[in-house]
Amino acid sequence: MARSSLFLLLICSLLLSTMASAAIVKHTFHVGNYTVKPLCKEQVVVAVNKQLPGPTIRVHEGDTVVVDVYNDSPYNLTIHWHGVLQLLSAWADGPSYVTQCPIRPGNKYTYKFNITGQEGTLWWHAHFGFLRATVYGALIIHPSDSRPYPFPKPYREVPILLGQWWDANIMDVESEAVATGGGANISDAHIINGKPGRLYSCSKDTFKMKVIPGKTYLLRIINTALNDQFFFKVAKHNFTVVAMDASYTNPYPTDVVVIAPGQTTDVLLTADQSPASYYMAAHPYVTAPIAPFDNTTTVGILQYENTSSSANPLMPVLPAFNDTPTAHKFYTNITGRVQGAYESVPLSVDERMFITFGVGLDPCPPNVTCGGPRNSRLTANMNNVTFQFPSKLSLLEAYVRGVGGIFTEDFPDNPPLVYDYTNVTAAAGFTATEKGTRLKRLSYNAVVEMVLQNTAVISTENHPVHLHGFNLFVLAQGFGNFNRTRDEQKFNLVDPQVRNTVAVPVGGWAAVRFRANNPGVWLMHCHMDIHLPWGLVNAFLVENGPTPDSTLPPPPTDLPRC
């Protein structure tokens, strides 16, 4: 009895300690037009608080985040808190027409959610059209006071936000792409923390990071780009990867980071070279052989104290743009840190899905010139379904209020046809898709295993697939067509990577699992922005659990209306 009382006292003490240390972190976002000149001409962009990137939100695990968003821009707007699990707060997730209708120009909405069971680097961004190109910022989750880092505490932490820049109104870029049915115009530059770097004409802004010899720094690297994956290096310096997508990893030494849109990677860098200035540099990792791309390089400067950055810093040798072996090695060799993990990989499976996805073609309307191959319109699909977003009501509100006619619950577990998915010749005839708003219903707490299979209807490409509301256990990745008899033997069920955005290999597949323990409607989509209007999307409807603490609350009274 005494031992039981002591145990209960210990639990109560821990709960009280957690409650005492938790805080309410408040921010105000004014989203509006902002004039900047990163390259040769001034450009009006939409930004938060006249900052590019926007404000960094810093919290501790257990904190509550409250953000008042004032939409002073000329466009509809939502904010998505990328990678935040939103446990029982699906209303705050932010994807337009999925968990909420957009915030109209001149209106305000307050996002409120708790950070539960997560530590590391995430980020926030607009989730309406291409506004994410300039409306974004870091969201950094520190451990609670009772949990140290599972690695030596760094001297300093530095967010590194990689992105793309257009010398154009980004919403006009999107409108043109949607109107013609072709790909979006390529960017004019890449940027590090909003700055293109001195390798570009007219650019006078270069991000500089000053370091002290012998000190170790934690770089919180975030890929905010609309469409480009990146290779990232620092001349003569090595990294140790310690986390990805706010989940700790076993330490992984490397001299290059590969990062897809939507992903984050935390690395330790020790200033152990001769005092001087060194370039940090990023350029694209490109896997679509027929598509044009921005082949420029952005640089920042890592500058040792008491040295000058005016001389030419040493430049790292970046991998070739199409160096898939280097990318695949990085994406697949890193394992998750089991010790201290919030959840281990589930071993039994309730739902198995085989999801093919990729880019295809739709016929061009009569008397119209389209921008896709053979005067067609580019489209995309998952299991041959091209997703159509609603416009009258969000999916989540339609579900909770029982409003019919907004969606159906018949997203298929398998594609309608079996063929040689990654063979361009074999896949070329499979361009016609079904259009619809088709969801997959999941029972509360069901374990879902998905095989995400790339297809080659137009060409093969590495696709970063992001699931809202959950973390994915990445069991295995490979090239070619998934073969369960052969490839299931490769599944890592001990210490797999845990990610919210998985880069499915070019001409290959990824096998993932998650536990559906978060009620709501959750979007899964390719995190290349042009793929959203093309329809490379599906959504999961997760039922409420059996108890009040596993039931989604009703919608906020100030939820924006469509």
Side-chain angles (χ1 to χ4, degrees):
M1 179 66 71
R3 184 175 296 177
S4 299
S5 300
L6 183 62
F7 177 74
L8 288 173
L9 181 62
L10 177 61
I11 293 297
C12 290
S13 299
L14 287 172
L15 287 172
L16 289 172
S17 174
T18 301
M19 293 171 63
S21 62
I24 297 176
V25 178
K26 294 184 177 182
H27 282 263
T28 300
F29 284 7
H30 289 277
V31 187
N33 286 347
Y34 174 46
T35 302
V36 292
K37 189 180 178 181
L39 293 179
C40 301
K41 67 175 185 178
E42 289 189 339
Q43 179 63 49
V44 176
V45 301
V46 177
V48 174
N49 298 352
K50 297 184 177 181
Q51 297 177 44
L52 184 65
T56 295
I57 296 178
R58 297 180 182 273
V59 298
H60 287 81
E61 193 277 327
D63 286 352
T64 296
V65 178
V66 179
V67 183
D68 294 322
V69 177
Y70 293 85
N71 185 6
D72 303 322
S73 83
Y75 307 106
N76 286 344
L77 171 78
T78 63
I79 301 293
H80 170 50
W81 315 94
H82 186 109
V84 174
L85 296 180
Q86 300 290 0
L87 294 170
L88 298 181
S89 56
W91 301 106
D93 191 44
S96 295
Y97 304 111
V98 178
T99 60
Q100 67 169 99
C101 295
I103 310 167
R104 296 181 184 274
N107 289 318
K108 170 207 169 189
Y109 181 61
T110 298
Y111 291 91
K112 182 177 181 180
F113 54 91
N114 188 260
I115 303 292
T116 304
Q118 293 184 274
E119 301 170 14
T121 304
L122 296 173
W123 62 302
W124 57 265
H125 61 79
H127 213 294
F128 188 92
F130 280 19
L131 286 179
R132 176 164 67 85
T134 53
V135 179
Y136 63 84
L139 197 165
I140 296 171
I141 308 169
H142 296 281
S144 63
D145 293 338
S146 61
R147 285 174 61 95
Y149 287 132
F151 48 81
K153 186 176 181 180
Y155 175 72
R156 192 158 68 93
E157 303 178 8
V158 182
I160 303 290
L161 285 77
L162 307 176
Q164 291 177 271
W165 172 260
W166 279 261
D167 263 338
N169 182 316
I170 194 62
M171 298 302 281
D172 290 344
V173 173
E174 180 192 12
S175 296
E176 181 181 350
V178 172
T180 64
N185 291 337
I186 65 172
S187 54
D188 295 289
H190 298 113
I191 50 179
I192 298 176
N193 289 348
K195 304 177 187 300
R198 57 172 64 167
L199 300 188
Y200 292 95
S201 298
C202 306
S203 174
K204 297 180 181 179
D205 283 336
T206 301
F207 170 70
K208 296 181 178 67
M209 173 182 165
K210 294 187 177 181
V211 298
I212 298 173
K215 298 293 187 181
T216 297
Y217 298 80
L218 179 64
L219 305 187
R220 298 181 177 271
I221 306 168
I222 306 170
N223 186 346
T224 73
L226 290 190
N227 295 307
D228 283 353
Q229 303 186 63
F230 290 111
F231 291 114
F232 176 81
K233 295 184 76 170
V234 177
K236 295 192 71 174
H237 290 74
N238 292 321
F239 307 122
T240 301
V241 178
V242 293
M244 290 174 151
D245 292 0
S247 293
Y248 293 122
T249 67
N250 292 312
Y252 178 76
T254 180
D255 69 341
V256 61
V257 167
V258 191
I259 187 166
Q263 293 183 330
T264 72
T265 302
D266 292 358
V267 301
L268 298 174
L269 177 148
T270 300
D272 56 5
Q273 298 301 306
S274 300
S277 289
Y278 301 85
Y279 274 135
M280 60 177 69
H283 78 196
Y285 163 49
V286 180
T287 60
I290 64 173
F293 68 96
D294 178 356
N295 64 358
T296 62
T297 300
T298 179
V299 296
I301 297 175
L302 187 139
Q303 180 184 352
Y304 281 67
E305 69 172 356
N306 301 322
T307 64
S308 173
S309 64
S310 59
N312 285 330
L314 187 66
M315 185 74 178
V317 178
L318 289 164
F321 295 117
N322 62 348
D323 190 348
T324 290
T326 293
H328 189 65
K329 177 183 177 182
F330 182 86
Y331 282 139
T332 58
N333 279 13
I334 299 174
T335 54
R337 185 180 178 90
V338 176
Q339 183 180 2
Y342 284 99
E343 184 183 7
S344 57
V345 58
L347 300 181
S348 60
V349 175
D350 301 301
E351 299 264 6
R352 281 193 168 88
M353 304 178 71
F354 184 83
I355 301 178
T356 58
F357 64 93
V359 177
L361 301 175
D362 270 351
C364 193
N367 304 316
V368 175
T369 300
C370 291
R374 303 186 296 277
N375 191 36
S376 59
R377 298 180 63 87
L378 291 168
T379 186
N381 70 88
M382 289 188 173
N383 278 355
N384 209 50
V385 177
T386 297
F387 192 86
Q388 307 288 293
F389 284 92
S391 59
K392 298 179 180 178
L393 196 65
S394 75
L395 296 174
L396 182 57
E397 191 167 2
Y399 164 57
V400 169
R401 297 192 187 282
V403 178
I406 303 296
F407 63 85
T408 59
E409 298 178 20
D410 57 348
F411 181 82
D413 290 343
N414 296 281
L417 295 171
V418 176
Y419 60 96
D420 189 356
Y421 305 111
T422 57
N423 183 315
V424 175
T425 302
F430 298 97
T431 58
T433 64
E434 300 177 13
K435 310 297 191 293
T437 311
R438 301 170 64 178
L439 277 58
K440 167 73 174 179
R441 179 184 282 264
L442 296 173
S443 300
Y444 179 79
N445 223 31
V447 174
V448 183
E449 179 180 292
M450 295 186 292
V451 175
L452 304 171
Q453 173 70 63
N454 243 313
T455 59
V457 173
I458 301 300
S459 70
T460 56
E461 185 177 11
N462 185 301
H463 288 91
V465 176
H466 171 50
L467 177 61
H468 292 224
F470 302 95
N471 282 328
L472 297 168
F473 294 94
V474 184
L475 308 182
Q477 300 173 68
F479 295 103
N481 297 321
F482 177 79
N483 180 299
R484 182 166 293 278
T485 302
R486 176 194 65 211
D487 294 324
E488 195 169 40
Q489 301 175 33
K490 305 172 186 175
F491 284 9
N492 179 354
L493 300 176
V494 178
D495 56 357
Q497 285 180 41
V498 180
R499 308 211 68 147
N500 61 61
T501 306
V502 57
V504 182
V506 53
W509 54 270
V512 300
R513 282 184 193 170
F514 70 98
R515 183 182 296 278
N517 56 2
N518 193 8
V521 176
W522 304 104
L523 195 66
M524 185 172 80
H525 62 99
C526 178
H527 217 270
M528 295 177 174
D529 266 27
I530 191 61
H531 292 76
L532 275 173
W534 287 353
L536 210 164
V537 176
N538 79 334
F540 292 99
L541 189 164
V542 179
E543 298 173 343
N544 284 324
T547 60
D549 61 359
S550 60
T551 299
L552 181 69
T557 55
D558 61 340
L559 195 69
R561 316 305 304 174
C562 288

